[in-house]
């Protein structure tokens, strides 16, 4: 065999043309095989990207980019339309329609859809196929389209997260939410279109909705139509300035006032008896001091079972109008002289904190890494080198003396390790807002993950406290509970004078698109007694380290475990 290979080598040395000819034929044959395999199966399409931009409604006060104590100048951004978290896809991709008379395929799809629905029974119950009308929708709450990745669960998840009772899918790619079904049902055979993101399930048809009742809709998100209930508040002193647009409605109802303010493009709708007021959250009306709801419990003139507030106490709802006063973002106009880290253990809410900082300052954040999925979601600083000096702060999960000392200061975000470990495990196996599969939790992956990552949670904090030059500790739980105050502290470390109206705007946009739904919470505790014993020891170590530096210890909800 060896002699044959030597002879073959000598032959091709004497005649190299034949060697390259054979090589070209080999590559061509391989290409043909690859192309054939590509056309043999069904093609898949990746998800569409969101558009970015900025925009302001009529009478919208421009807050501008924050004034920097570093000497940067603020500039007014270009105005344009910015879509919120629920948007209509601009994709013109044609929708595949079922062929008439194909009884076998229709029956097969119905069977697959039925089996899929049975799996969803724990979170939603299929009700039936209903007629829809583009001029008068059957479900009149929030809606969003995705002509590439729509699935039954995605629609259910988004509607339930926002407190709706029903989720409906139409045309294979459209999702509608609502509290009432305002149309009649029809034959199941008319809901015959496959979901764009999962061909094993049915997503309605042409002007037909596959509707589910959401068994786990979250009551915390009390919602009327498309509005989120914010609470009962005392009428501000300068009410005509705080809520500049008003309309007398003798037949007042929540829907009427919300619709009026939505049409006027204001994010707040305030009911004061028979007077409907609209505006923005400002320093004159912060929505920070809620009153007892009984003070607003005056029956609406146009709706017997609703409350409409009084002339002294306002019942406030947040409409689906996006508050664009804090949506403008750009790179720093001049190179930053200091590098500020946004440091955290993975799963501690770093991406969410970046979202808040970008809205609060008007400047992009950077990253020690490069994550294409985050760049595609609007984190434009993700592509910049972390030393570029064009971003307001740098995301990092690094620990260790050398890496930490490369930063001039840091915001250290700490989260309950039990929550952080589960969040990072979900990210690792399900993406930034996805979930790990049940098999991963029950398999060997979870115990190995805890054994490797739990010690890192403690050493990460200890390293930053030890080697960090100027460290501001922020607890994730405090940021959730008192966002305004904690965000003020974070923005202050970045050398920026906080504009209160802009921070109030951030409060209304705080979730962004980076929050996992609570709909798929595990039904059991994944931590064994041995795991809890080890993690509790790490918590005590971090708590002691914080107190030795005259800082508040870990929040109380880390205990007992």
């Amino acid at each position: 065999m060896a002699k044959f290979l030597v002879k073959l080598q000598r032959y091709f040395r004497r005649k190299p043309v034949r060697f390259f000819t054979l090589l070209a034929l080999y590559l061509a044959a391989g290409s043909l095989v690859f192309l054939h395999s590509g056309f043999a199966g069904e093609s898949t399409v990746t998800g569409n990207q969101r558009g970015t931009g900025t925009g302001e409604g009529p009478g919208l006060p421009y807050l501008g980019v924050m004034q920097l104590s570093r000497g940067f100048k603020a500039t007014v951004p270009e105005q344009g339309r910015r879509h919120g978290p629920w948007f209509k896809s601009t994709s013109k991709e044609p929708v595949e329609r079922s062929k008439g008379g194909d009884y076998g395929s229709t029956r097969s799809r119905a069977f697959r859809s039925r089996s899929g629905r049975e799996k969803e029974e724990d979170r939603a119950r299929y009700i039936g196929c209903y007629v829809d009308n583009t001029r008068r929708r059957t479900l009149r709450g929030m809606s969003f389209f995705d002509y590439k990745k729509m699935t039954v669960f995605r629609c259910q998840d988004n509607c339930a997260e926002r407190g709706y009772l029903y989720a409906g899918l139409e045309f294979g790619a459209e999702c509608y939410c609502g509290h009432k079904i305002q149309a009649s049902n029809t034959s199941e055979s008319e809901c015959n279109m496959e979901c764009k993101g999962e061909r094993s399930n049915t997503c309605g048809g042409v002007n037909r909705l596959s509707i589910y009742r959401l068994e786990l809709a979250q009551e915390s998100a009390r919602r009327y139509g498309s509005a989120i209930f914010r609470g009962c508040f005392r009428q501000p002193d300068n009410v005509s300035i705080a809520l500049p647009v008003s309309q007398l409605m003798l037949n007042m109802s929540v829907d009427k006032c919300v619709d009026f303010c939505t049409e006027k493009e204001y994010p707040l709708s305030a009911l004061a008896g028979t007077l409907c007021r609209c505006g923005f959250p400002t320093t004159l009306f912060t929505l920070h001091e809620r009153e007892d709801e009984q003070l607003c419990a005056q029956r609406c003139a146009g709706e017997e079972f609703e409350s409409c507030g009084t002339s002294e106490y306002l019942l406030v709802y947040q409409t689906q109008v996006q508050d664009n006063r804090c949506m403008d973002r750009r790179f720093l106009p001049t190179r930053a002289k200091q590098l500020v880290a946004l440091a955290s253990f993975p799963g501690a809410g770093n991406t969410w904190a970046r979202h808040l900082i970008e809205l609060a300052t008007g400047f992009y954040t950077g990253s020690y890494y490069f994550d294409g999925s985050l760049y595609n979601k609007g984190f434009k600083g993700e592509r910049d080198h972390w030393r570029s000096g064009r971003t307001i702060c740098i995301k990092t999960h690094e620990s260790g003396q050398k890496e930490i000392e490369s930063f001039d200061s840091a915001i250290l975000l700490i989260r309950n390790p039990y929550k952080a470990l589960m969040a990072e495990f979900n990210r690792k196996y399900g993406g930034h807002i996805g979930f790990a599969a049940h098999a991963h939790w029950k398999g060997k992956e979870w115990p190995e993950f805890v054994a490797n990552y739990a010690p890192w949670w403690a050493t990460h904090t200890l390293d930053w406290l030890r080697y960090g030059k100027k460290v501001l500790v922020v607890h994730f739980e405090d940021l959730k509970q008192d966002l305004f105050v904690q965000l003020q502290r974070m923005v202050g470390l970045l050398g920026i004078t906080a504009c209160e109206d802009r921070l109030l705007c951030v409060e209304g946009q705080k979730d962004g698109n980076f929050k996992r739904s609570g709909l798929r919470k595990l039904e059991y505790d994944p931590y064994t007694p041995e795991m809890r014993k080890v993690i509790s020891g790490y918590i005590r170590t971090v708590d002691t380290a914080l107190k030795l530096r005259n800082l508040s210890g870990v929040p109380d909800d880390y205990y007992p475990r």
Side-chain angles (χ1 to χ4, degrees):
M1 185 64 181
K3 291 181 179 180
F4 172 75
L5 292 175
V6 171
K7 289 181 180 180
L8 190 64
Q9 184 182 18
R10 289 175 180 173
Y11 174 77
F12 281 124
R13 280 184 179 177
R14 292 195 301 269
K15 298 183 178 181
V17 175
R18 293 187 182 182
F19 171 74
F20 287 112
T21 302
L22 287 172
L23 181 62
L25 289 172
Y26 173 77
L27 293 174
S31 300
L32 288 173
V33 171
F34 175 76
L35 289 172
H36 175 72
S37 65
F39 284 113
E42 291 181 343
S43 60
T44 59
V45 186
T46 57
N48 59 326
Q49 306 299 334
R50 300 175 188 265
T52 58
T54 60
E56 301 181 11
L60 183 65
Y62 173 66
L63 301 182
V65 178
M66 295 293 192
Q67 294 181 355
L68 302 178
S69 59
R70 300 177 190 172
F72 302 141
K73 292 183 178 180
T75 59
V76 180
E78 296 180 2
Q79 295 187 7
R81 181 69 174 167
R82 180 181 175 87
H83 297 284
W86 309 112
F87 61 96
K88 296 187 178 181
S89 170
T90 56
S91 170
K92 302 298 182 183
E93 178 181 321
V95 179
E96 294 181 5
R97 300 169 188 259
S98 60
K99 297 180 182 179
D102 188 0
Y103 175 79
S105 63
T106 303
R107 181 179 178 182
S108 174
R109 277 195 301 272
F111 177 79
R112 293 197 306 267
S113 179
R114 193 180 305 115
S115 63
R117 288 169 191 155
E118 289 171 357
K119 296 177 182 178
E120 306 298 324
E121 284 294 324
D122 59 334
R123 62 170 174 262
R125 178 168 55 87
Y126 179 71
I127 293 178
C129 184
Y130 285 76
V131 176
D132 195 22
N133 189 315
T134 55
R135 294 185 178 180
R136 191 169 180 81
R137 290 293 180 188
T138 302
L139 296 175
R140 299 174 188 172
M142 178 209 75
S143 65
F144 74 101
F145 304 164
D146 191 334
Y147 289 94
K148 295 181 180 180
K149 296 194 298 182
M150 181 61 72
T151 65
V152 171
F153 172 74
R154 184 181 177 198
C155 180
Q156 293 173 354
D157 198 28
N158 283 310
C159 293
E161 177 72 12
R162 285 151 183 81
Y164 289 106
L165 297 178
Y166 299 99
L169 296 107
E170 181 174 333
F171 212 60
E174 302 175 4
C175 176
Y176 297 90
C177 311
H179 274 298
K180 298 179 182 178
I181 301 176
Q182 305 189 53
S184 59
N185 62 343
T186 185
S187 170
E188 287 296 314
S189 61
E190 296 184 28
C191 285
N192 53 18
M193 299 187 73
E194 296 175 338
C195 301
K196 285 293 184 179
E198 54 175 350
R199 306 222 169 201
S200 61
N201 257 331
T202 299
C203 285
V206 179
N207 292 330
R208 296 294 183 268
L209 279 168
S210 297
I211 296 184
Y212 294 81
R213 179 178 175 84
L214 304 173
E215 304 296 343
L216 299 179
Q218 297 185 13
E219 291 300 326
S220 59
R222 291 171 53 187
R223 181 179 291 271
Y224 288 79
S226 61
I228 303 171
F229 178 73
R230 295 297 299 271
C232 177
F233 300 89
R234 182 184 293 274
Q235 178 173 284
D237 294 333
N238 298 314
V239 64
S240 59
I241 299 175
L243 301 168
V245 175
S246 61
Q247 177 72 42
L248 182 66
M249 297 181 178
L250 298 179
N251 198 25
M252 172 71 86
S253 71
V254 173
D255 283 343
K256 286 185 175 64
C257 188
V258 168
D259 289 345
F260 172 74
C261 294
T262 300
E263 183 180 348
K264 297 296 183 181
E265 297 191 3
Y266 284 95
L268 292 185
S269 171
L271 292 83
T274 56
L275 190 64
C276 174
R277 295 186 178 276
C278 314
F280 298 93
T282 64
T283 52
L284 296 175
F285 195 47
T286 63
L287 302 184
H288 287 168
E289 299 178 3
R290 293 180 61 158
E291 303 286 350
D292 188 335
E293 288 183 28
Q294 290 301 315
L295 296 173
C296 292
Q298 176 174 299
R299 186 177 65 84
C300 293
E303 187 62 52
E304 182 179 358
F305 300 105
E306 292 180 357
S307 297
C308 279
T310 68
S311 58
E312 187 177 354
Y313 292 96
L314 309 179
L315 209 57
V316 179
Y317 292 84
Q318 184 171 323
T319 72
Q320 286 294 293
V321 175
Q322 182 168 268
D323 189 345
N324 287 321
R325 297 175 301 164
C326 57
M327 302 307 294
D328 55 291
R329 289 170 292 171
R330 62 192 179 100
F331 289 104
L332 295 175
T334 59
R335 183 183 175 90
K337 296 180 180 179
Q338 294 189 334
L339 291 176
V340 183
L342 178 60
S344 73
F345 174 78
N350 200 303
T351 300
W352 180 54
R354 290 178 68 185
H355 164 73
L356 297 176
I357 289 171
E358 290 194 359
L359 295 187
T361 65
F363 295 109
Y364 290 120
T365 59
S367 177
Y368 195 82
Y369 321 97
F370 169 68
D371 189 327
S373 65
L374 290 181
Y375 177 84
N376 292 333
K377 288 181 181 293
F379 289 99
K380 300 305 179 185
E382 194 75 17
R383 276 189 177 176
D384 267 36
H385 189 275
W386 65 280
R387 287 186 177 275
S388 70
R390 298 207 305 158
T391 53
I392 196 69
C393 63
I394 311 297
K395 164 190 173 178
T396 179
H397 299 310
E398 299 299 308
S399 55
Q401 182 175 358
K402 181 180 178 181
E403 290 78 8
I404 293 173
E405 289 181 347
S406 62
F407 292 96
D408 300 293
S409 58
I411 298 169
L412 177 58
L413 189 63
I414 304 175
R415 186 182 187 183
N416 184 324
Y418 294 99
K419 301 290 182 63
L421 288 169
M422 292 177 68
E424 175 59 11
F425 190 73
N426 276 321
R427 187 207 64 79
K428 185 174 181 180
Y429 290 99
H432 280 282
I433 56 174
F435 293 86
H438 184 75
H440 291 135
W441 292 101
K442 287 295 189 180
K444 65 178 183 179
E445 293 92 343
W446 172 242
E448 290 179 354
F449 179 86
V450 173
N452 292 326
Y453 277 68
W456 183 18
W457 176 85
T459 58
H460 183 277
T461 299
L462 297 176
D463 283 353
W464 278 94
L465 292 176
R466 181 178 180 182
Y467 301 118
K469 298 173 185 175
K470 183 181 178 183
V471 179
L472 172 68
V473 175
V474 176
H475 293 283
F476 175 86
E477 294 75 17
D478 293 341
L479 185 60
K480 282 184 64 177
Q481 186 174 353
D482 195 357
L483 184 142
F484 189 87
V485 172
Q486 297 300 324
L487 198 52
Q488 271 186 322
R489 295 177 63 222
M490 296 163 69
V491 168
L493 182 77
L494 298 173
I496 293 177
T497 303
C499 172
E500 289 192 23
D501 280 359
R502 188 169 185 119
L503 293 179
L504 290 169
C505 170
V506 176
E507 284 189 312
Q509 321 288 330
K510 63 182 180 181
D511 285 341
N513 303 314
F514 314 104
K515 178 184 178 183
R516 285 187 180 87
S517 162
L519 195 60
R520 286 185 62 181
K521 288 182 178 177
L522 288 177
E523 297 177 356
Y524 59 90
D525 185 354
Y527 293 99
T528 64
E530 293 77 13
M531 291 178 182
R532 288 197 292 269
K533 182 178 179 181
V534 172
I535 294 172
S536 293
Y538 294 139
I539 292 174
R540 287 191 291 271
T541 300
V542 170
D543 185 62
T544 301
L546 290 170
K547 290 177 178 177
L548 285 175
R549 288 161 178 78
N550 295 320
L551 300 170
S552 60
V554 299
D556 293 337
D557 66 356
Y558 287 25
Y559 300 101
R561 277 287 181 175

